[in-house]
Amino acid sequence: METMTAGSIAYILLVFGVLFAVRYLLAMRRIFQEVGKPAGFVAADYLKAPKAEAYGGEMEPSRRYAARQYFQAAICFGTGAVLLIWLLVTGAPVGMAG
């Protein structure tokens, strides 16, 4: 039976982090379609999702879904990045092969 290397786990966590981030952006797009998006791209508008009642009471289920995606993306991407940096610093092999 093959085991996964730490490098493989780091890459998988980074990919999951990116996928959750895409889901977060799509959830925010759905919220902005319903409540109206401010003009231009403002990062602060995208970072309001973890705050309760940020988009009104009727958008609370969508806001909670977006907040879950935000936190899952941050955890997966952050953990994968820390593991990958640790492997690079220690000189351990980082490839996907077993």
Side-chain angles (χ1 to χ4, degrees), residues 20 23-28 30-31 35 46-73:
F20 280 121
R23 289 178 62 160
Y24 171 70
L25 292 175
L26 290 173
M28 291 305 295
R30 183 175 52 224
I31 289 172
V35 298
Y46 284 89
L47 298 177
K48 287 188 340 185
K51 296 179 181 82
E53 299 288 330
Y55 302 104
E58 64 277 352
M59 294 304 295
E60 193 61 19
S62 295
R63 185 212 56 86
R64 284 195 305 261
Y65 173 78
R68 279 193 305 272
Q69 302 309 309
Y70 174 80
F71 289 125
Q72 288 174 335

Side-chain angles (χ1 to χ4, degrees), residues 8-39:
S8 298
I9 293 171
Y11 284 129
I12 290 169
L13 285 171
L14 288 174
V15 169
F16 280 169
V18 169
L19 292 175
F20 280 121
V22 168
R23 289 178 62 160
Y24 171 70
L25 292 175
L26 290 173
M28 291 305 295
R29 179 177 172 237
R30 183 175 52 224
I31 289 172
F32 287 147
Q33 284 176 345
E34 292 187 28
V35 298
K37 183 178 184 301

Side-chain angles (χ1 to χ4, degrees), residues 4 6-7 28 42 64 73-74 76 86 92 95-97:
M4 294 181 64
M28 291 305 295
V42 180
R64 284 195 305 261
C76 287
W86 178 69
M96 291 289 287

